[in-house]
Amino acid sequence: MLGVLGAEIQAGARSIGLIPTFTQLGYALGILFLAPLGDRFDRRRIILIKAAVLVLSLLASGFAPGLGALLAASLCIGLSATLA
């Protein structure tokens, strides 16, 4: 899938490989910084906010015009994917 995406946005294999890397980095940062917020604040509200950010991030990745925007959206997807 990344190969097809790379051809679509005219990016090399090295650049396309950053997409899952940024998503995993965002997930790790989300677990490190956002998951502990559930101990201090209302969990339901945090879950709703993260779900809204996740939806917006997924839409942004779908409409990303280039690699930079796609990488930023991938990082946000990882950050907000720590809903559970």
Side-chain angles (χ1 to χ4, degrees):
M1 192 162 123
L2 289 175
V4 173
L5 180 64
E8 182 70 27
I9 62 173
Q10 290 88 29
R14 178 179 239 168
S15 298
I16 290 298
L18 290 175
I19 295 171
T21 303
F22 272 49
T23 306
Q24 291 296 315
L25 179 64
Y27 190 76
L29 291 173
I31 289 176
L32 184 65
F33 293 116
L34 298 179
L37 291 177
D39 295 334
R40 297 188 140 232
F41 302 104
D42 181 34
R43 291 184 184 128
R44 284 175 272 178
R45 185 177 195 132
I46 293 172
I47 289 170
L48 288 174
I49 292 170
K50 280 186 180 181
V53 171
L54 182 58
V55 166
L56 293 174
S57 300
L58 289 168
L59 286 171
S61 70
F63 291 110
L67 185 62
L70 185 56
L71 289 175
S74 295
L75 185 68
C76 290
I77 289 169
L79 276 168
S80 57
T82 56
L83 288 169

